[in-house]
Amino acid sequence: MDTLTPSLARIRGISALWLLLSLLPAAFASYSIGVGRADSTGPAAEIVFMGYAKMDQKGNGIHLRTFSRAFIIDDGEERFVFVSVDSAMVGHDIRQEVLRKLQSQFGDLYTERNVMISGTHTHSSPGGFMLDILFDLTTFGFVRESFDAIVNGITNSIVRAHNAVVPGRIFIAHGQVLDANINRSPQAYYNNPQSERDKYEHDVDKTLTQMQFIGADDKPLGAINWFAVHPTSMNNTNHLVSSDNVGYASILFEKMMNKDALVGKGSFVAAFASTNLGDVSPNIRGPKCEFTGKNCSDQYTCPGKNEMCFASGPGKDIFESTSIIAHKIYKEAARLWEKGKAAEVVGPVRVIHRYVNMPEQSAEFYNETTKKMEEVRGCVPAMGYSFAAGTIDGPGSFAFEQGTTTPNPFWNAVRNFLAAPTENDIRCHAAKPILLATGRMRLPYQWQPRIISTQVAMIGSVFIAGVPGEFTTMSGRRLREAIKTVVNDAFDDETFVIVAGLCNTYSDYITTPEEYQIQRYEGASTIYGPHTLTIYLKQYQELAQAAVQKRTLSPGPSPPELLQSRLITLVPPVLYDTPKWGFNFGDVTQQPVQKVVSPDDTVTATFVSGHPRNNLMTDNTFLSVERLEDDEVWVSVATDADWNTKFEWTRTSVVLGSSEVTVTWQVPQDVLPGTYRLRHNGYYRYILGGVYPYYGVSNSFQVVVPALNIRRRYYG
């Protein structure tokens, strides 16, 4: 009797299933589909957030837990996995560690060829997981807890999707979301050719694209939504872990589909993934001066040394702004889902992946000035002066300004002390003055990647281009058009091209060559020079052609795995915890003030606590809002993953290792009346060794709901 390897047995099994399904009516199923979700929340306290590069923006609690959401699509011959994870970005070593863990369970079923991992780009999650020095510099080096949390979350979401694979169908729909995003670098955008800009109504993409997954039994399985917006509604003053606007939109969609399930626990999985968001801000009031409220200068500066230029809105604070943007994109996604007029996706699944050494690449570019085609090349990675100026979503430091195209002797001297660019580097990167020659900086290890991941997945007539960075609005539009030009002839029906952002590797920004000349933040952060996009267009056309023609491509050069290096970490471990004098861990030092509350009231309680880093409470919670049921059992109705709760940790004594947490619950409009209490769960580290669990509960209080709210809950 033949003995099959696990992967070969799986392939034969799925092929047999596919043969069976092909004999059934077309309405039954087109693919095998699996969806899964897992908690990816990193350390909630004392770790610098990744995104704003602000070293004093350390976490001190949780507003929204972060999740990884995985989607498996299999046509019987080939399998594709798309993951959207609530993270600032994804690095090569994260992906490789995920693949190693999957290989131990599934052999060669999941590889770098068919697994695409996309970061949502939230700026409010713990950093220290990227390994490239530039990205971990402001987080005080590598943070193993952050790295493991993301890796385990992604891995677990894929495993859960794998275990949930069922026959199903895929549909695609498009909608429009207005008043949810603006272009934060219009000066650069308007440097693109007028004839090109005239093709589009807006200077940012307003389209929301939704891929719907339905079981063969018509059971809703999940959805992926792509909408161009930065998850920066929570600005750099925030210190609570949050998945930001797109993460909250995912929660809203899942709550709609999973009814009364706790956040993160229902079977339906909804992702709001990143796309060409590079120059797109959710802060739709636009940039204003901090104190005067007046318009900023063209360089987005304000008079005086202490007044910064930043954008905000549309709400009165960052929480309300996050909620407004989230509800806008969620409502359009819900409308598309309920409309029922999406186009069905049918056809084969093919995935093409290739590593590319960007400084060694060349491509042809039509020069509008000379009216000639010319060969252009990639550059060794480098960051420009305007990178240090930051953006209107998060201003930078010192006196750097956006739009800087001339160097400064002082900063050049500082740069050269670290690593001097070559004359060829300077010529290659013009009009960018080089502030950091990251490609020449080797100590203690790699500062930015040279070798990046490129990937295209074809699902019928849908092409998902997984790009290793933040494409600007026009860069994304050019990429979609470039792919369409090489694949349209292969399809009778319309071709759909989706740009999936921040996939597999993070290589900062990708602007058009015209935008690059203006040297806004995005252009200064386009690390392979002015023709980074030109090279990518060529690369992704080759990937798409190979998918259509069912050809294989060379895998390309392997990037270095930095996890094997001697990684630097300056984040101290938790040494010990002690309770407040006269108290035990979990004791309540401040009870809820109100005995009776109504919707929109806020209830708080403060507990003696251990350090949140002692246990990340993965797939668990640091807090619960509990309601007393008829059989005298306390049932959790909300956790630290809910919008209406906050978990805030405070160190009360560094020497003694004492701390406390405040649990906050804003009573929601759709609450049920009854008896409630607040609960805190945690772990403390004993000074003589060992980590031990504890919990505490507050006094109970009554929630009274007006009759009108009850009627709305049950009758709409």
Side-chain angles (χ1 to χ4, degrees):
M1 185 173 68
D2 291 339
T3 301
L4 303 179
T5 64
S7 58
L8 183 58
R10 183 202 70 81
I11 292 170
R12 290 191 183 177
I14 289 179
S15 297
L17 173 63
W18 191 251
L19 176 62
L20 174 63
L21 295 177
S22 67
L23 300 175
L24 297 175
F28 182 70
S30 299
Y31 301 98
S32 294
I33 298 167
V35 301
R37 181 201 314 100
D39 188 349
S40 61
T41 310
E46 294 192 323
I47 304 299
V48 178
F49 287 168
M50 182 67 207
Y52 291 114
K54 190 176 180 184
M55 298 179 78
D56 62 349
Q57 192 190 8
K58 293 183 179 180
N60 65 1
I62 296 176
H63 183 226
L64 292 175
R65 277 194 173 262
T66 60
F67 293 95
S68 174
R69 296 173 171 90
F71 303 81
I72 294 175
I73 305 169
D74 197 314
D75 70 347
E77 293 186 7
E78 191 155 352
R79 174 167 287 205
F80 170 58
V81 183
F82 180 82
V83 178
S84 177
V85 58
D86 293 326
S87 175
M89 63 276 287
V90 174
H92 173 71
D93 284 87
I94 285 178
R95 185 166 177 247
Q96 292 304 109
E97 190 70 4
V98 168
L99 294 175
R100 276 190 284 269
K101 287 178 175 287
L102 292 173
Q103 186 178 40
S104 67
Q105 297 188 60
F106 306 112
D108 295 331
L109 180 56
Y110 300 108
T111 67
E112 59 192 12
R113 187 188 62 79
N114 68 350
V115 175
M116 182 184 293
I117 305 175
S118 171
T120 63
H121 203 38
T122 175
H123 285 39
S124 291
S125 62
F129 55 82
M130 283 299 293
L131 281 73
D132 295 290
I133 287 292
L134 183 67
F135 307 128
D136 283 355
L137 194 64
T138 56
T139 63
F140 299 96
F142 177 65
V143 180
R144 187 82 205 198
E145 297 153 285
S146 296
F147 182 87
D148 288 345
I150 295 173
V151 166
N152 293 336
I154 295 170
T155 304
N156 291 339
S157 68
I158 296 174
V159 171
R160 290 171 185 176
H162 174 95
N163 293 334
V165 168
V166 295
R169 303 164 70 191
I170 301 174
F171 299 84
I172 190 165
H174 302 278
Q176 187 179 63
V177 184
L178 300 177
D179 301 321
N181 57 0
I182 62 170
N183 195 304
R184 70 185 189 189
S185 290
Q187 299 95 326
Y189 177 86
Y190 283 97
N191 203 46
N192 291 308
Q194 177 75 47
S195 59
E196 182 179 35
R197 289 186 279 114
D198 287 345
K199 298 177 183 178
Y200 305 98
E201 182 180 358
H202 304 284
D203 60 3
V204 293
D205 287 339
K206 302 291 185 178
T207 299
L208 185 147
T209 298
Q210 183 178 93
M211 184 172 279
Q212 305 171 354
F213 302 91
I214 310 289
D217 57 357
D218 288 331
K219 178 184 177 182
L221 300 176
I224 310 173
N225 302 274
W226 287 274
F227 179 72
V229 66
H230 251 82
T232 49
S233 292
M234 303 293 289
N235 65 27
N236 62 18
T237 66
N238 173 50
H239 292 271
L240 298 179
V241 171
S242 173
S243 53
D244 213 292
N245 45 45
V246 292
Y248 186 30
S250 292
I251 290 171
L252 290 168
F253 203 140
E254 290 175 349
K255 284 175 73 70
M256 177 185 77
M257 300 301 295
N258 293 321
K259 303 305 179 187
D260 294 326
L262 291 173
V263 173
K265 302 300 182 182
S267 61
F268 186 92
V269 178
F272 283 76
S274 63
T275 178
N276 54 320
L277 50 69
D279 54 356
V280 187
S281 171
N283 298 305
I284 61 176
R285 285 194 192 130
K288 302 290 181 183
C289 290
E290 183 178 8
F291 303 130
T292 65
K294 295 181 179 180
N295 291 333
C296 307
S297 71
D298 289 342
Q299 288 73 39
Y300 288 176
T301 60
C302 295
K305 295 182 178 180
N306 298 319
E307 188 172 17
M308 292 191 297
C309 171
F310 65 89
S312 63
K316 66 179 183 293
D317 58 28
I318 59 177
F319 295 99
E320 186 176 74
S321 294
T322 301
S323 179
I324 291 172
I325 299 299
H327 275 86
K328 283 180 180 291
I329 57 179
Y330 150 69
K331 286 178 179 177
E332 179 62 8
R335 187 190 70 83
L336 291 176
W337 182 271
E338 295 168 350
K339 187 178 179 182
K341 293 184 179 180
E344 184 163 9
V345 178
V346 294
V349 174
R350 294 173 190 160
V351 191
I352 305 293
H353 177 273
R354 180 168 61 185
Y355 287 115
V356 178
N357 190 327
M358 287 296 289
E360 295 182 359
Q361 301 306 307
S362 63
E364 288 191 333
F365 175 73
Y366 182 73
N367 190 319
E368 287 283 353
T369 303
T370 63
K371 305 299 180 184
K372 294 181 180 179
M373 295 295 294
E374 55 188 53
E375 185 180 69
V376 295
R377 300 192 63 84
C379 308
V380 173
M383 302 294 280
Y385 274 59
S386 297
F387 150 74
T391 73
I392 60 173
D393 293 332
S397 304
F398 303 106
F400 291 102
E401 296 181 357
Q402 294 200 60
T404 300
T405 55
T406 55
N408 175 287
F410 171 77
W411 289 113
N412 277 3
V414 174
R415 172 201 69 194
N416 293 344
F417 178 78
L418 297 171
T422 66
E423 288 300 320
N424 184 59
D425 292 340
I426 294 171
R427 285 192 301 269
C428 188
H429 280 277
K432 175 206 294 178
I434 296 175
L435 178 65
L436 292 173
T438 51
R440 303 295 176 187
M441 301 165 80
R442 304 294 176 83
L443 296 176
Y445 37 89
Q446 176 178 282
W447 279 65
Q448 282 182 304
R450 293 187 180 210
I451 300 172
I452 50 87
S453 163
T454 62
Q455 191 176 25
V456 165
M458 183 183 82
I459 306 149
S461 59
V462 177
F463 288 78
I464 302 176
V467 299
E470 303 177 56
F471 274 54
T472 61
T473 298
M474 195 62 86
S475 293
R477 289 168 175 172
R478 288 188 189 178
L479 179 61
R480 289 196 291 264
E481 291 302 313
I483 292 175
K484 284 184 179 181
T485 59
V486 299
V487 304
N488 271 347
D489 291 343
F491 296 91
D492 296 329
D493 298 324
E494 183 180 1
T495 301
F496 303 99
V497 180
I498 298 166
V499 177
L502 296 104
C503 288
N504 305 334
T505 313
Y506 184 65
S507 59
D508 284 87
Y509 284 75
I510 300 91
T511 62
T512 69
E514 295 85 356
E515 291 166 349
Y516 185 92
Q517 300 304 311
I518 304 301
Q519 280 299 291
R520 300 280 302 164
Y521 175 86
E522 296 80 13
S525 303
T526 297
I527 67 175
Y528 304 118
H531 289 287
T532 301
L533 175 63
T534 311
I535 294 168
Y536 276 139
L537 296 182
K538 174 186 175 183
Q539 294 293 329
Y540 280 89
Q541 283 186 318
E542 292 176 359
L543 294 172
Q545 281 182 318
V548 170
Q549 298 168 4
K550 209 171 183 179
R551 290 187 293 108
T552 58
L553 296 178
S554 166
S558 296
E561 293 196 22
L562 302 180
L563 197 60
Q564 312 304 322
S565 306
R566 282 188 162 183
L567 300 174
I568 293 175
T569 178
L570 301 177
V571 178
V574 180
L575 299 177
Y576 57 86
D577 296 292
T578 59
K580 185 177 180 180
W581 183 258
F583 292 87
N584 295 314
F585 290 108
D587 284 353
V588 181
T589 59
Q590 181 179 329
Q591 295 285 356
V593 176
Q594 311 97 311
K595 301 297 182 183
V596 179
V597 296
S598 301
D600 287 335
D601 288 344
T602 299
V603 184
T604 63
T606 302
F607 300 81
V608 177
S609 76
H611 201 297
R613 285 172 58 196
N614 291 328
N615 188 308
L616 303 186
M617 305 297 284
T618 303
D619 285 328
N620 206 327
T621 180
F622 285 107
L623 70 85
S624 293
V625 179
E626 298 180 331
R627 179 162 50 85
L628 186 63
E629 298 288 0
D630 294 337
D631 54 0
E632 300 301 310
V633 175
W634 290 96
V635 176
S636 178
V637 298
T639 68
D640 60 15
D642 278 83
W643 177 262
N644 292 84
T645 63
K646 290 188 180 75
F647 168 77
E648 298 174 87
W649 175 84
T650 304
R651 173 68 82 190
T652 56
S653 173
V654 175
V655 175
L656 298 178
S658 302
S659 55
E660 64 183 19
V661 299
T662 299
V663 173
T664 304
W665 181 47
Q666 184 178 21
V667 184
Q669 283 289 328
D670 61 352
V671 70
L672 288 174
T675 302
Y676 288 77
R677 71 182 184 185
L678 303 181
R679 176 185 175 116
H680 163 53
N681 309 299
Y683 283 75
Y684 70 91
R685 185 175 295 277
Y686 186 46
I687 193 169
L688 297 180
V691 176
Y692 303 94
Y694 69 88
Y695 75 92
V697 295
S698 74
N699 294 339
S700 61
F701 52 92
Q702 297 296 313
V703 173
V704 177
V705 180
L708 179 61
N709 287 46
I710 297 177
R711 286 197 297 272
R712 284 175 178 168
R713 178 180 176 90
Y714 289 103
Y715 303 108

